[in-house]
């Protein structure tokens, strides 16, 4: 939840404010940031603060799916639509760009559309506008996802958050391991603060 996020810096505090606004809306959200900046934490916080929080949060790592598997995983399929398909078909996570724009789905091999009530939160460490310009990401998909954009600054741009994060993790692991570590040395703090 937003209460679990550690933010002393103005940059990350502003990110959290935007994410809270996104949680109260119905628009698609695109979270952009480098690897390790907390995109999934922001996505889960948005979900846990939105009106749909009692429904499942379904995370799908599209980068790890082969294109053919992604189609059936995301969009589902009707029975008998390909060799080896279950005769009853399969429900996908969501189906085609139509879901992003007008919240309706059609299964692969199907003809009937169905209304769904979802909040799409997409996250990437890529510069999608650059990917669109290089023809490696669909422009229509980018514009449908990029309705509410949240950019997460990397830790090197919000160094005020480093020591509070150190203390957060010390407390977390003290609770897990039953230890009583009270902090780190000034020298260790300086090393962390100098590291880019």
């Amino acid at each position: 939840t937003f209460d679990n996020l550690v933010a002393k810096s103005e940059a990350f505090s502003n990110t959290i404010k935007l994410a809270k606004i996104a949680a109260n809306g119905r628009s698609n959200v695109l979270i952009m940031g480098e690897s390790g900046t907390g995109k999934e934490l922001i996505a889960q916080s948005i979900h846990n603060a939105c009106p749909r929080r009692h429904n499942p949060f379904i995370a799908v790592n599209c980068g790890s799916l082969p294109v053919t598997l992604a189609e059936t995983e995301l969009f589902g399929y009707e029975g008998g639509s390909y060799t080896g398909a279950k005769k009853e078909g399969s429900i996908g996570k969501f189906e085609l760009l139509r879901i992003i724009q007008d919240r309706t789905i059609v299964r692969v091999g199907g003809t009937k559309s169905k209304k769904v009530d979802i909040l799409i939160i997409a996250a990437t460490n890529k510069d999608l506008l650059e990917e669109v310009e290089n023809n490696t990401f669909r422009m229509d998909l980018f514009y449908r996802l990029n309705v509410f954009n949240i950019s997460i600054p990397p830790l090197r741009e919000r160094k005020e958050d480093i020591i509070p994060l150190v203390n957060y993790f010390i407390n977390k692991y003290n609770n897990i391991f039953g230890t009583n570590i009270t902090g780190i040395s000034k020298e260790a703090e300086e090393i962390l603060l100098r590291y880019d």
Side-chain angles (χ1 to χ4, degrees), residues 1-8 12 41 44-45 160-177 179 181-184 192:
T1 67
F2 289 118
D3 293 337
N4 302 118
L5 301 178
V6 176
K8 293 287 183 200
F12 197 55
L41 293 174
Q44 289 176 351
S45 297
E160 311 94 292
D161 292 334
I162 292 175
I163 301 308
L165 281 167
V166 166
N167 293 326
Y168 169 83
F169 285 114
I170 288 173
N171 290 332
K172 175 181 176 176
Y173 290 109
N174 275 341
N175 290 332
I176 291 172
F177 297 115
T179 54
I181 297 168
T182 57
I184 62 173
L192 289 173

Side-chain angles (χ1 to χ4, degrees), residues 22-159:
N24 289 318
R26 296 181 52 84
S27 298
N28 298 330
V29 179
L30 178 59
I31 302 171
M32 298 174 71
E34 295 176 12
S35 292
T37 53
K39 294 181 295 294
E40 188 165 341
L41 293 174
I42 292 289
Q44 289 176 351
S45 297
I46 290 170
H47 170 76
N48 289 326
C50 82
R52 296 169 187 81
R53 66 183 156 271
H54 301 295
N55 294 319
F57 175 83
I58 300 172
V60 179
N61 181 348
C62 296
S64 69
L65 295 173
V67 174
T68 53
L69 179 58
E71 184 177 59
T72 57
E73 177 72 15
L74 297 176
F75 309 141
Y77 59 87
E78 293 294 333
S81 56
Y82 64 89
T83 304
K86 293 186 222 170
K87 71 175 182 181
E88 67 275 9
S90 175
I91 298 171
K93 303 288 191 283
F94 60 86
E95 292 137 0
L96 307 176
L97 290 177
R98 186 176 302 140
I99 192 171
I100 298 172
Q101 186 169 320
D102 61 13
R103 304 300 197 253
T104 62
I105 59 173
V106 177
R107 289 185 184 175
V108 172
T111 56
K112 295 180 185 174
S113 63
K114 176 178 158 185
K115 281 278 191 194
V116 292
D117 181 22
I118 60 164
L119 174 62
I120 296 174
I121 306 170
T124 183
N125 61 1
K126 305 259 188 207
D127 180 338
L128 289 188
L129 198 52
E130 184 178 304
E131 298 288 326
V132 167
E133 289 168 1
N134 293 334
N135 291 320
T136 54
F137 194 84
R138 291 177 56 162
M139 183 183 299
D140 56 347
L141 178 56
F142 173 72
Y143 286 113
R144 285 179 172 99
L145 292 174
N146 194 33
V147 177
F148 197 108
N149 187 292
I150 298 173
S151 181
I152 303 178
L155 196 52
R156 69 177 171 278
E157 293 177 10
R158 52 186 180 99
K159 292 196 173 190

